[in-house]
Every structure is written in C-alpha cells, then in structure tokens.
Amino acid sequence: MMEELINNLQNTLNAIKAEIEIAQTENARKKAKIESNEYMDTREAMSFLKCCSKTLYNYRLSGLKSYKIGRKVMYRKDELRGFVNIHQA
C-alpha cells in the first residue's frame, strides 16, 4: 500500500517536472523571438515611424497591430513597414 502511494507520488512529480520543462522551453522560445529583432518596442517604433507616442497610439487605434508581451507593447517590424507603405500611398 505504501509503495503504491510512493509510486503514484513519483509519477505525479515526474509529470509536473515534464510540464515545467515544456513551459520553460516555450518561454525561452518566445524570449528568443523577441530578442531576434523581429519586434520593436514603443520607442523603437516611434523612431522608425518618426512620430511621438500619441501619434503611435492613434495609429494603433486606426489599425496598426501591437502585441502585449509581458508589460511591454511591441510591434512587428514587417507590420510597421506594411503600415508605412499603405499610408504613404
């Protein structure tokens, strides 16, 4: 009886460890994607678009996609380029 309980606890612990490893891998992948310069933070986006924070906020209201990653608002570079191309024409 006691051995069965210990085995069940060990199996549960192993399952939890596996889930933690998966979560850590996913978090590392997300962080690497952010750091790969695929995204720009608000200051970089303002510099790229040559605008102030209020204008950038208005662009977001008018359709510019942004992503909340943790506490930061981020913008994809390719979407910023597309937004510029559409609004320059």
Side-chain angles (χ1 to χ4, degrees):
M1 180 77 171
M2 189 65 119
E3 288 179 25
E4 186 177 324
L5 179 61
I6 291 172
N7 285 336
N8 286 339
L9 288 173
Q10 286 177 335
N11 289 338
T12 302
L13 182 60
N14 288 336
I16 292 170
K17 284 180 182 179
E19 288 181 28
I20 290 171
E21 288 177 7
I22 290 169
Q24 288 174 335
T25 301
E26 289 175 1
N27 286 340
R29 199 174 303 144
K30 287 178 185 177
K31 186 176 179 180
K33 191 172 186 179
I34 292 169
E35 291 173 355
S36 71
N37 294 330
E38 185 176 330
Y39 288 89
M40 290 184 181
D41 64 18
T42 299
R43 287 183 187 193
E44 292 169 328
M46 289 186 318
S47 175
F48 179 79
L49 296 173
K50 297 179 178 74
C51 67
C52 66
S53 61
K54 180 66 177 169
T55 301
L56 184 59
Y57 177 75
N58 288 333
Y59 288 163
R60 287 174 55 196
L61 293 177
S62 69
L64 177 62
K65 286 179 97 178
S66 63
Y67 303 89
K68 189 87 171 191
I69 301 176
R71 294 173 61 186
K72 288 187 170 187
V73 176
M74 304 292 284
Y75 303 87
R76 288 180 54 112
K77 282 185 179 180
D78 58 339
E79 291 173 351
L80 286 172
R81 286 186 193 101
F83 187 82
V84 168
N85 290 338
I86 289 171
H87 290 85
Q88 280 182 344

